[in-house]
Amino acid sequence: TPPRVVVVGAGFGGATAARCLAAGGIDVTLVEAAERYVACTGSNAVVVGLRGIAAQTFGYDALGRALRLVRASADAVDPVARRVRLGDGTALAYDRLILSPGIELRFDAVPGYDAAAAEAMPHAWKAGEQTVLLAQQLAAMPEGGTVVLSAPANPYRCPPGPYERASLIAHFLKTRKPRAKLILLDAKDTFSKQKLFEAAWAKLYPDMLEYVPLAAGGQVSEVDPAAMIVRTDFAEYKADVACIIPPQRAGRIAALAGCTDRSGWCPIDPVTFESRLVPGIHVIGDAAIAGAMPKSAFSANAQGKVCAQAVIDALAGRDPQDPRLINTCWSLVAPDYGISIAGVFRPTNGLLADVPGAGGISPLDAPEAVRAQEAAYAEGWYRTITRDVFG
Ligand code: FAD
């Protein structure tokens, strides 16, 4: 029989890898548990009512026409027998397995913040009901209210995401509830595109947004969802709306397959994305430890392509190629104000490292027309990537 590949997770990483394998004539089965995909990319605009959740939502029909798609949850992996067990008890045999399960939120990391607390204080870090809930809470917030937003320490899904969210919430407050304020609590002192964000905040939202870095007591030590209180070691904040983005780890199936280390993420060989812990299993997307590459949809898509080629080469008995991968992340600071960071990465000393001089950020002193153009690029990229992945 021809070699079989199973891919778990039809998100930006897994669906891309499966499409490439199918296009390469490989016998591939893609396993996805969700009813439909709700994209996180662009979902900060939903949080502040600039777009609807429908614009984020994709069905799997086109994927199902392009390849063999199994709508089930992968519940266990036997890496010795090379089988994936599905929710209905059936098993899929594989020669190579690719895991792209995304993230699991760590409800054990912030005292008081568990799955029930997320109903009162949404994370909205997995798009869907949580995104809509946070949008509803913001819309219903009283005039002059306080929004508290907390960002976790590295690593986590979408490094600039909390700051884009803070920016768009500040824009929402400025235009809709001008007496309200936003407090951004951060468990670190530096963040992605920081100079660009801070310059934009000073210009657009000078009195609206208070940023509290780790050094000033930004780490959340406890939350009380019933009283809507967020505590740090330094202060106590009473919130009208609280968005807590907790620390994360690789999606659960990665741990069940034995692919996670003590960090909760998956160490991989940067040339092939094969797990350093379990032979025959590759891990891509947010779940993987990809060195300097951020956890983004753009990265997951690039990794899906490189990993698929590495699997095709391995099945044919060929040596893997030495890959180059690209990431670009756009963020909106306001609806017509976009900024970006780009990087090129290659395997170096066992990790994916930045190719020196190959990336960069938007210019700090760009005119408004350039910011508006970048906002349009962000939307263009979103349309392109979602069509590429979901058809
Ligand atoms: P996912 O896209 O989460 O896909 C994982 C899939 O696996 C899911 O469909 C899930 O249902 C499925 N799955 C998991 N476990 C199982 C199982 N056991 N069995 C079956 N199926 C399973 N990135 C960008 O590039 N640009 C942006 O502008 C951007 N903005 C963002 C804004 C926000 C607010 C957030 C939270 C994220 C943003 N991101 C952005 C990051 C991006 O969403 C993620 O990096 C990306 O989704 C990672 O892809 P993935 O394939 O690893 O995981």
Side-chain angles (χ1 to χ4, degrees), residues 9 11 13 32-33 37 40-41 74 100-102 125 157-158 285-286 296-298 381:
E32 172 57 54
Y37 188 78
C40 285
T41 51
S100 188
W125 220 242
R157 160 175 283 183
C158 196
D286 289 357
S296 74
F298 200 119
W381 171 76

Side-chain angles (χ1 to χ4, degrees), residues 75-148:
D75 288 351
V77 175
D78 180 340
V80 178
R82 299 208 171 193
R83 292 160 86 85
V84 179
R85 202 187 70 224
L86 304 182
D88 64 4
T90 59
L92 293 174
Y94 67 82
D95 294 285
R96 294 266 164 177
L97 172 63
I98 300 176
L99 300 179
S100 188
I103 57 159
E104 180 174 65
L105 298 156
R106 284 188 50 196
F107 286 124
D108 57 350
V110 178
Y113 196 72
D114 55 15
E119 295 301 309
M121 299 177 158
H123 51 78
W125 220 242
K126 284 189 171 194
E129 285 170 19
Q130 278 276 307
T131 316
V132 172
L133 179 63
L134 182 56
Q136 287 167 346
Q137 290 184 355
L138 278 170
M141 188 180 77
E143 282 290 335
T146 300
V147 183
V148 176

Side-chain angles (χ1 to χ4, degrees), residues 8-14 31-34 37 40-44 60 72-75 100-103 124-125 157-158 161 164-165 253 284-287 295-300 327-330 381:
V8 173
F12 285 105
V31 180
E32 172 57 54
Y37 188 78
C40 285
T41 51
S43 69
N44 284 329
Y60 298 115
S73 124
D75 288 351
S100 188
I103 57 159
W125 220 242
R157 160 175 283 183
C158 196
E164 177 185 67
R165 180 169 293 178
I253 190 67
I284 56 173
D286 289 357
K295 298 186 186 303
S296 74
F298 200 119
S299 293
N327 175 68
T328 310
C329 277
W330 285 272
W381 171 76

